[in-house]
Amino acid sequence: MRNKIVALCLLVFLSGCYTDIVDNVVIRESIKIESILIQNGILAKSVKSKDGYTIRVLDKDRLKAISLLSYYELPGKPEIDIQDLFPAGELVSSPFAEKNRLIYGVANNLKKTIETVPGVISASVDLAYATEMKSSANNKASIVIVYQSPLNVDSNFIEQIKAIVVNANPDVSYNNVSVSTFKKQYTPITKDLVNESDTNKYIYILAFLFLTLTISLVVFIYDRKHKKK
């Protein structure tokens, strides 16, 4: 009886040590977040919720986890579906409409492809097409990449990105593709915040010990009275 009560208290205490940092993300996003947190020494777990997945971390890691997610720009912005931009019931089917659908699809796929490159945090792809259907000389592509170390962003990297864009979009010439890159530095949380987190951890530990001792004392007194009867 006593062991069961103590085990139950331990379970309640451990569950209370976790805090939610992200709610309602899709499974692919939850796996990405968990992976990044674990790589940085943070124990994280995802829990299935009604509208997606919830990411939880230990209370002591909450500040560091939030800092890391801000650095990696996670969770990402929800993707806008082409149907939301051009509802089928409101847009008359035409070559212009089909071209806009194609442009959107190509830009979205290019963004996803570039973001798979190790070291790239986020990417933005904008395709500007000439209004005339048969004219492609003025078609342009603008790529913005936010990256981190140790990715080496040199002329060879820029050429590779341009090649990816041109191969996926033959209507844009190599010279009309611009690539802008920005390096993002990770700034760890301050020492004061870490100390505050550690203080909270010790408060939880002391509270748990006090609760365990109190319950153990109550169970001990109850057992003695029960044996006397």
Side-chain angles (χ1 to χ4, degrees), residues 32-139:
K32 185 176 181 179
I33 292 174
E34 278 190 271
S35 176
I36 288 176
L37 293 178
I38 292 173
Q39 289 173 11
N40 287 273
I42 296 178
L43 179 62
K45 63 179 181 178
S46 61
V47 180
K48 184 72 172 68
S49 58
K50 181 180 179 181
D51 299 319
Y53 288 83
T54 298
I55 308 299
R56 295 176 177 174
V57 299
L58 293 172
D59 287 337
K60 67 181 183 67
D61 294 327
R62 176 177 174 272
L63 297 175
K64 184 179 178 182
I66 292 175
S67 177
L68 282 167
L69 294 187
S70 176
Y71 172 72
Y72 284 100
E73 301 180 10
L74 292 171
K77 296 180 181 179
E79 296 179 2
I80 301 176
D81 190 79
I82 186 63
Q83 298 299 330
D84 297 330
L85 294 176
F86 304 103
E90 299 180 9
L91 188 63
V92 178
S93 179
S94 65
F96 178 76
E98 293 301 322
K99 186 173 183 179
N100 277 289
R101 292 176 186 270
L102 176 62
I103 292 173
Y104 176 87
V106 171
N108 192 47
N109 287 336
L110 281 172
K111 168 184 168 63
K112 292 179 179 179
T113 300
I114 296 173
E115 288 180 340
T116 61
V117 177
V120 172
I121 296 176
S122 62
S124 175
V125 178
D126 292 317
L127 301 178
Y129 273 57
T131 54
E132 297 180 9
M133 298 295 296
K134 296 181 180 180
S135 176
S136 61
N138 294 324
N139 293 344

Side-chain angles (χ1 to χ4, degrees), residues 3-53:
N3 293 336
K4 290 182 179 180
I5 294 177
V6 174
L8 179 61
C9 292
L10 180 61
L11 180 62
V12 172
F13 171 74
L14 291 177
S15 62
C17 285
Y18 278 89
T19 183
D20 298 347
I21 58 171
V22 176
D23 291 320
N24 303 330
V25 294
V26 297
I27 180 64
R28 187 175 68 176
E29 194 89 336
S30 70
I31 293 174
K32 185 176 181 179
I33 292 174
E34 278 190 271
S35 176
I36 288 176
L37 293 178
I38 292 173
Q39 289 173 11
N40 287 273
I42 296 178
L43 179 62
K45 63 179 181 178
S46 61
V47 180
K48 184 72 172 68
S49 58
K50 181 180 179 181
D51 299 319
Y53 288 83

Side-chain angles (χ1 to χ4, degrees), residues 154-212:
D154 53 13
S155 58
N156 183 52
F157 175 82
I158 300 299
E159 290 177 0
Q160 290 178 340
I161 295 298
K162 286 187 175 183
I164 292 174
V165 174
V166 172
N167 289 336
N169 193 15
D171 290 336
V172 177
S173 66
Y174 183 88
N175 293 330
N176 282 347
V177 179
S178 66
V179 180
S180 301
T181 60
F182 301 90
K183 186 176 182 179
K184 191 172 185 180
Q185 298 285 354
Y186 174 62
T187 304
I189 56 179
T190 64
K191 185 177 180 181
D192 291 337
L193 290 177
V194 174
N195 290 337
E196 180 183 348
S197 178
D198 291 340
T199 301
N200 292 336
K201 176 184 67 175
Y202 294 133
I203 291 175
Y204 277 117
I205 294 175
L206 291 174
F208 169 69
L209 292 176
F210 176 77
L211 178 63
T212 303

